[in-house]
Amino acid sequence: MQPSLDTVFAALADPTRRAILQMLLEDDMAVTDVADPFEMSLAAISKHLTILTRAGLISQEKRGRVKWCKLEPDALKSASVWMQGFGQFEPVNLDAFEAFLERELGTPAND
Amino acid sequence: MQPSLDTVFAALADPTRRAILQMLLEDDMAVTDVADPFEMSLAAISKHLTILTRAGLISQEKRGRVKWCKLEPDALKSASVWMQGFGQFEPVNLDAFEAFLERELGTPAND
DNA sequence: GGTTTGGTCAACCATTCGGTTGAATATGGG
DNA sequence: CCCATATTCAACCGAATGGTTGACCAAACC
């Protein structure tokens, strides 16, 4: 199943999963280390990570017996673009926004 | 219950509800008219509208025997801001973005 | 080779979700 | 007043969610 708006938004709807994403913003982490600050079983965290992976929000790579989790922030792009359609509160079109990014950063906005 | 990221994202996770939001982008609508294009009962749509209301994404106002539904796009702002925290894919800080909006539109970005 | 360590799997459980149907509650019109 | 219209309520249903526990598997260590 490739990530859809359904799966992305559903993945974001859980506070544990959002907290995990924010932790991964710092650095890649092993599953055990992700689970550490939470007061729930490792198996539960493992499930959350599976959901995040299926939503495309993270990727997991096994090196040795350690499975590393890595943020994949591009998955947020589709959701972000969808929300920008509600331009009434953010009255800017994507073209102008990308142009802004290019001016500010000197790099194309779409990778 | 005041809208949280939980309720906002959960509300957005359903395709029917996203479709409703997009319909309301056009204009305010009565509950019956919202339900019309969907192949499900009026009661089901009524439930969806309740969920959208509790998420703060729409408001409902009863005039006569008709209940009008109105988009409240500001509710997306908190979710949007949260997602912008993942600046790796959208490498711009809010201050710069607001400054951009002011330049582009000549109005303050935050209402 | 036996034992940790890291992580998933499988079964289970309570709760929530998305839908149905039928009854109930306004409000408005003739 | 009676009826149609607009909408919700209440009870029910099957499926999905978020959690648990214990067994399991694979890699690493002594």
Side-chain angles (χ1 to χ4, degrees):
Chain A
M1 175 191 55
Q2 57 184 1
S4 62
L5 278 181
D6 280 36
T7 55
V8 170
F9 280 129
L12 295 177
D14 184 276
T16 301
R17 289 193 289 265
R18 287 199 307 277
I20 291 175
L21 291 178
Q22 284 182 314
M23 290 165 57
L24 292 177
L25 208 45
E26 299 275 334
D27 204 355
D28 299 356
M29 295 179 77
V31 172
T32 308
D33 296 332
V34 170
D36 200 52
F38 297 98
E39 287 183 341
M40 72 180 70
S41 69
L42 183 61
I45 296 294
S46 180
K47 282 189 185 180
H48 282 305
L49 291 172
T50 302
I51 291 172
L52 288 170
T53 301
R54 284 212 265 258
L57 290 163
I58 68 170
S59 60
Q60 292 181 288
E61 182 199 356
K62 194 169 183 180
R63 281 201 299 272
R65 64 179 165 182
V66 171
K67 202 168 187 179
W68 292 92
C69 305
K70 177 176 166 27
L71 194 64
E72 296 288 346
D74 272 11
L76 285 174
K77 195 174 267 181
S78 59
S80 175
V81 167
W82 185 87
M83 293 205 304
Q84 292 216 2
F86 295 83
Q88 293 175 26
F89 83 97
E90 214 165 78
V92 61
N93 62 59
L94 276 179
D95 291 343
F97 184 61
E98 289 184 4
F100 163 71
L101 287 182
E102 288 187 31
R103 275 201 312 280
E104 292 292 319
L105 305 162
T107 62
N110 49 347
D111 311 54
Chain B
M1 174 191 55
Q2 58 184 2
S4 62
L5 279 180
D6 280 37
T7 54
V8 170
F9 280 130
L12 294 178
D14 185 275
T16 301
R17 289 193 290 264
R18 288 198 307 277
I20 291 174
L21 291 178
Q22 283 180 315
M23 289 165 57
L24 292 177
L25 208 44
E26 300 275 336
D27 203 356
D28 299 356
M29 295 178 76
V31 173
T32 309
D33 295 332
V34 170
D36 199 51
F38 296 98
E39 287 182 340
M40 71 180 70
S41 70
L42 184 60
I45 296 294
S46 180
K47 282 189 184 180
H48 282 304
L49 291 172
T50 301
I51 291 172
L52 288 170
T53 300
R54 283 212 265 255
L57 291 163
I58 69 170
S59 60
Q60 293 181 290
E61 183 199 356
K62 193 168 182 181
R63 280 202 298 274
R65 62 181 165 179
V66 171
K67 202 167 189 180
W68 292 91
C69 305
K70 176 174 166 28
L71 193 63
E72 297 288 346
D74 274 10
L76 285 175
K77 195 174 266 180
S78 58
S80 176
V81 167
W82 186 88
M83 293 206 302
Q84 291 216 4
F86 296 82
Q88 294 175 27
F89 83 98
E90 215 164 78
V92 60
N93 62 58
L94 276 179
D95 291 342
F97 183 62
E98 290 184 4
F100 163 71
L101 287 182
E102 288 187 32
R103 276 201 313 279
E104 291 293 317
L105 305 163
T107 62
N110 50 348
D111 310 54

